[in-house]
Amino acid sequence: MSTNILAEPPAGSGLKAVPGSNTPGLVQVMKLRQDPFGFAETNRQKFGDVTFVHVFGTTIVSCAGPEAAERILMNKDRAFANGPAWGFFIDKFFHRGVMLLDFDEHRHHRLILQQAFTPTILKGYMQEMQPMIMNAMKQFPVRDVLLFNEFKQLTLDVALEVFLGLELPKKEADKINKAFIECVRAGVGLVRADVPFTRWGKGIRSRKVLEEFIYSHIPAKRAKETPDLFSVLCHAESEDGHRFTDEDVVNHILFVLMAAHDTSTITMSQMAYHMAKHPQWQEKAREQSLELNPELGYDDLGKLDVLDAIMKESLRMCTPVPAQPRMAVRDTEVNGYFIPEGTMVQVPNLSNHYRDDIWTNPFAFDPERYSAERKEDKAHRMAWMPFGGGVHKCIGLYFGQMEIKTIMHHLLRGYEWTIPDDYVLPMDYSALPVPKDKLPVTIRRR
Ligand code: HEM
């Protein structure tokens, strides 16, 4: 690996040039996909925390560590934008989703979206989803199952009901599910053109399927208010009386469904894996769930502190959104390094969660690190950051945690699950991190 620099800093600025490797992009992508931790660590040892790589047909400056994360995500001087950075990966598939908007326009749309995530509305969602989840759990397969697939199906059903207020026949729900998967996987495809059978090509076709599906339901949603996100977005108004257009509604719904779906499935799969690998934690979490009623109330969520610690640790060890890209919209700096206008930077959430200057024994599953005595996650405001930070911080973080805990609560009460002693979950890091084998487990009714 030879050292090169990204760009010469302006004379007299006192800034340093970003070092990095000019190794061709394809080689870097392969290394990154195979072993993201090894890749990040090798680069860090050779070049430091701020370093560039050529990947996905562009150059990205990775800015590791909590200070860099704070600088970029809090973005006090508005030097970084989301749209051109996330847009590079997903604009074709999640055009004008709120995460792709910037500055005043982002604020305007986010304030309207926020109306669908107030505590009162969240309590309503919880009431809607609880019977669905309880019912699904009663019919949970008691045999060897691919747990990732089961969670995925369940979160999609919840999303369709709670966000869209629609009950779809299985065939149509499967079609929508497939279209989402294709859109999510498309952004990091190696071929970035509408070529049949490539990830990108499939993503473009899937976006059309999803758009037609949402557009077809808008007239009914505009006509009558119902307790779901789709309806809220059709009726919500900003202070100056502005309403989302049909196009806005489609773009936001598709983005939120995408943002809610895979992230929660990944988190639950990780939690289930760690609880199978460390059955003492499964038992501890079950004990707490058994102390509560089967039907979990909104106020009970805070009582599940063992499950909460397991969730936090799972989110640390496998952050569903492994990096947050941004584009420098003018010449700027990160940690004293010169970042020229037009440079794509990224906050590497996943590898930040393995820094040994913050986390003791970072590769060990250790939910006690969040205890009041240790509080490792509070070492820095950006130490534990699976939900990001700043104005784009995850809008669904309470919804996501509520859904995850409710599902796990019912699973723990009704079932035990195991994996062979020597089993290690094989991960696919080529898009969002998912288990390659869909997490096979043996389920027994309790
Ligand atoms: C464990 C589950 C989840 C994780 C780890 C997660 C993670 C994230 C992260 C890291 C971001 C910030 C991206 C950036 O700034 O570049 C984000 C944004 C977002 N998330 Fe989540 N998310 C989760 C669940 C959800 C759910 C359930 C919803 C919807 C109900 C949701 C909706 C959104 C939206 C709309 C944004 C964009 C916010 C904005 O740009 O203003 N997420 N999420």
Side-chain angles (χ1 to χ4, degrees):
M1 238 195 276
S2 59
T3 304
N4 296 275
I5 61 163
L6 180 74
E8 281 298 345
S13 65
L15 297 175
K16 296 171 276 186
V18 176
S21 153
N22 273 342
T23 307
L26 197 58
V27 179
Q28 302 274 37
V29 173
M30 292 306 173
K31 284 188 192 166
L32 177 69
R33 285 184 177 178
Q34 248 166 20
D35 176 14
F37 305 107
F39 182 80
E41 193 48 34
T42 311
N43 277 347
R44 186 175 154 201
Q45 279 177 14
K46 172 127 192 176
F47 303 115
D49 275 340
V50 179
T51 169
F52 73 85
V53 280
H54 303 301
V55 276
F56 309 121
T58 186
T59 300
I60 302 183
V61 176
S62 185
C63 303
E67 289 78 20
E70 183 166 5
R71 157 79 186 107
I72 294 169
L73 300 183
M74 298 320 288
N75 198 18
K76 291 203 174 116
D77 57 352
R78 295 187 165 200
F80 297 101
N82 269 35
W86 271 115
F88 176 80
F89 297 104
I90 59 171
D91 183 68
K92 281 265 181 287
F93 320 107
F94 296 104
H95 182 61
R96 286 184 61 80
V98 65
M99 194 177 73
L100 281 74
L101 303 180
D102 280 296
F103 310 126
D104 294 345
E105 189 182 36
H106 168 257
R107 189 166 178 276
H108 175 70
H109 282 248
R110 178 146 173 149
L111 283 175
I112 300 181
L113 257 186
Q114 203 87 48
Q115 295 179 29
F117 294 96
T118 62
T120 314
I121 299 271
L122 283 177
K123 280 183 194 169
Y125 292 156
M126 178 113 180
Q127 270 167 12
E128 292 269 313
M129 72 177 160
Q130 184 94 227
M132 249 193 95
I133 292 174
M134 283 174 87
N135 199 26
M137 280 295 160
K138 277 188 200 135
Q139 296 159 32
F140 214 64
V142 185
R143 53 179 158 80
D144 292 352
V145 294
L146 298 177
L147 204 47
F148 181 81
N149 290 351
E150 299 296 329
F151 286 146
K152 204 162 180 53
Q153 187 59 52
L154 188 52
T155 49
L156 183 75
D157 292 344
V158 169
L160 290 178
E161 179 147 332
V162 174
F163 293 152
L164 300 185
L166 300 171
E167 269 184 48
L168 298 182
K170 183 165 180 339
K171 207 170 152 207
E172 199 174 355
D174 286 348
K175 189 173 137 194
I176 298 303
N177 195 358
K178 186 162 174 281
F180 270 115
I181 297 169
E182 308 276 29
C183 282
V184 171
R185 289 176 67 82
V188 288
L190 295 178
V191 178
R192 298 174 58 81
D194 186 5
V195 177
F197 308 114
T198 59
R199 283 188 179 194
W200 197 270
K202 285 182 192 169
I204 287 183
R205 263 163 289 285
S206 296
R207 166 82 196 193
K208 284 202 190 106
V209 170
L210 295 174
E211 275 183 7
E212 279 166 17
F213 167 71
I214 301 292
Y215 272 119
S216 70
H217 289 280
I218 288 184
K221 288 285 167 187
R222 292 253 193 233
K224 187 174 167 229
E225 286 197 49
T226 45
D228 50 75
L229 174 94
F230 196 172
S231 176
V232 175
L233 297 189
C234 285
H235 297 274
E237 279 186 12
S238 64
E239 281 167 5
D240 55 4
H242 171 95
R243 263 190 176 196
F244 281 150
T245 61
D246 285 3
E247 206 184 332
D248 288 336
V249 171
V250 170
N251 291 331
H252 287 313
I253 284 280
L254 289 184
F255 183 81
V256 170
L257 278 174
M258 181 277 287
H261 185 33
D262 271 339
T263 46
S264 305
T265 309
I266 292 169
T267 309
M268 287 188 288
S269 303
Q270 288 290 325
M271 291 169 74
Y273 167 63
H274 290 300
M275 283 195 266
K277 196 89 186 152
H278 308 274
Q280 72 278 21
W281 282 102
Q282 188 177 144
E283 210 30 58
K284 271 175 118 171
R286 181 170 295 113
E287 272 169 27
Q288 266 192 348
S289 273
L290 289 171
E291 280 166 17
L292 297 174
N293 289 329
E295 183 163 347
L296 204 58
Y298 188 76
D299 298 329
D300 291 330
L301 291 168
K303 298 177 190 155
L304 295 171
D305 57 359
V306 175
L307 199 56
D308 189 65
I310 292 169
M311 186 182 70
K312 282 197 173 116
E313 183 65 339
S314 303
L315 281 166
R316 177 187 73 82
M317 297 187 78
C318 182
T319 307
V321 182
Q324 290 173 255
R326 299 288 189 264
M327 183 72 80
V329 290
R330 65 170 110 81
D331 286 0
T332 184
E333 66 79 39
V334 174
N335 286 10
Y337 286 91
F338 173 55
I339 310 286
E341 179 181 344
T343 304
M344 176 114 74
V345 300
Q346 67 155 5
V347 175
N349 305 21
L350 180 62
S351 53
N352 274 358
H353 283 165
Y354 284 79
R355 288 178 75 91
D356 54 14
D357 51 352
I358 295 209
W359 308 97
T360 5
N361 202 359
F363 285 86
F365 175 76
D366 178 8
E368 276 165 3
R369 60 172 92 244
Y370 305 94
S371 66
E373 297 74 44
R374 288 174 58 192
K375 288 195 251 179
E376 289 186 15
D377 54 322
K378 303 280 188 257
H380 188 284
R381 72 192 291 198
M382 295 280 171
W384 184 80
M385 48 167 313
F387 296 104
V391 296
H392 287 279
K393 187 167 183 175
C394 181
I395 208 172
L397 86 168
Y398 296 114
F399 179 89
Q401 297 184 55
M402 182 173 94
E403 178 184 29
I404 290 166
K405 285 184 184 165
T406 306
I407 293 176
M408 297 314 286
H409 167 75
H410 289 293
L411 189 66
L412 283 160
R413 286 181 61 95
Y415 305 91
E416 285 171 4
W417 62 98
T418 51
I419 48 173
D421 286 348
D422 58 352
Y423 173 79
V424 176
L425 189 65
M427 294 300 294
D428 172 358
Y429 290 103
S430 62
L432 299 187
V434 293
K436 279 185 188 156
D437 61 359
K438 316 286 185 210
L439 181 55
V441 302
T442 305
I443 305 247
R444 276 188 297 276
R445 202 179 289 281
R446 289 190 53 258

